[in-house]
Amino acid sequence: MHVAAVVVAGGRGERFGGPKQFAPLDGATVSAHSVRVARSVAQLVVLVVPDSYAGDGEGADLVVTGGVTRSESVRAGLGAMEEVDIVVVHDAARPWASRTLFESVVAAVEAGADAAVPGLSITDTVKRVSVEGAVTVVRATEARDELVTVQTPQAFRYTALVRAHGAGGRATDDAALVERLGGRVVVVPGDEANVKITRPEDLRAAHRAGGVV
Ligand code: C5P
């Protein structure tokens, strides 16, 4: 099957204090690691960057400018490619995603799902809360055995993803847009090591642990 990848690196890294996805990591950049692992399943890798980007493409085949939201950035990446069978969308900020994880989401779509996402079970108790002025109040306790946290890479049947993005829309991941149209999204085992770099301490912790891809 023909597989393409969209690696989204178009964020401004507000919580990080700058574009975290281009920070140095183990002799390359965070994004270059993400592009390299995406290439293990994809014949074409599109990197989506902020308009301020002045780098060399991080090893991607195509580089396009993203949008204000993550969903717009994914659409920019999708718009740069020809029709393929499967598209894998990956956050550049997850440089430690494994080749095995990419292969397992692609395999789940090859087996018939509209989309596949890596999920991790929850060990902490999860509460629904609301903020009342300066106080946060618990509204309910969720059934954690029915919940997973979800990572990227996420794989999609090309037509399902294009249709899901066709009406615009905004979500924190692409699977949510496919779910809204009634698509079948399956969960494959996620990987605890596949951390998303969000704050400077995430990178510092990796350097301390000798964390390399
Ligand atoms: O903000 P968040 O950490 O969820 O971003 C996840 C990924 O989406 C990051 O790799 C970020 O660079 C990318 N992104 C993007 N365009 C945006 C916002 C985020 O490509 N407008």
Side-chain angles (χ1 to χ4, degrees):
M1 286 215 187
H2 199 193
V3 181
V6 176
V7 177
V8 279
R12 279 175 303 174
E14 272 159 9
R15 284 163 298 181
F16 190 84
K20 60 195 176 188
Q21 61 275 32
F22 304 113
L25 175 66
D26 188 32
T29 63
V30 167
S31 291
H33 287 291
S34 298
V35 167
R36 196 189 53 177
V37 64
R39 198 174 279 299
S40 65
V41 295
Q43 294 90 52
L44 175 84
V45 181
V46 181
L47 179 70
V48 184
V49 297
D51 54 11
S52 57
Y53 180 70
D56 64 359
E58 317 298 321
D61 300 300
L62 292 174
V63 179
V64 297
T65 303
V68 174
T69 66
R70 183 185 180 284
S71 298
E72 284 175 29
S73 291
V74 172
R75 285 194 277 279
L78 270 179
M81 68 174 67
E82 304 281 315
E83 179 164 350
V84 291
D85 299 305
I86 294 175
V87 182
V88 182
V89 181
H90 185 51
D91 289 339
R94 291 186 186 269
W96 297 292
S98 68
R99 176 183 184 141
T100 308
L101 198 56
F102 274 82
E103 288 170 348
S104 64
V105 288
V106 168
V109 174
E110 281 174 344
D114 293 313
V117 302
L120 290 174
S121 57
I122 293 177
T123 51
D124 293 329
T125 296
V126 180
K127 309 254 185 218
R128 184 174 298 279
V129 298
S130 61
V131 177
E132 294 178 3
V135 183
T136 301
V137 178
V138 173
R139 292 290 162 217
T141 300
E142 302 295 334
R144 73 179 175 198
D145 54 348
E146 293 180 4
L147 299 171
V148 289
T149 60
V150 164
Q151 309 176 322
T152 70
Q154 300 188 346
F156 301 87
R157 224 165 20 83
Y158 172 86
T159 47
L161 186 62
V162 167
R163 197 155 63 88
H165 275 284
R170 177 178 180 171
T172 51
D173 75 354
D174 302 283
L177 299 176
V178 173
E179 290 153 39
R180 280 178 205 165
L181 294 185
R184 180 175 163 77
V185 180
V186 302
V187 179
V188 305
D191 181 358
E192 299 276 0
N194 179 23
V195 172
K196 183 168 75 171
I197 297 168
T198 304
R199 297 180 182 83
E201 50 269 32
D202 299 330
L203 256 189
R204 283 200 292 270
H207 284 301
R208 267 200 307 279
V212 292
V213 191

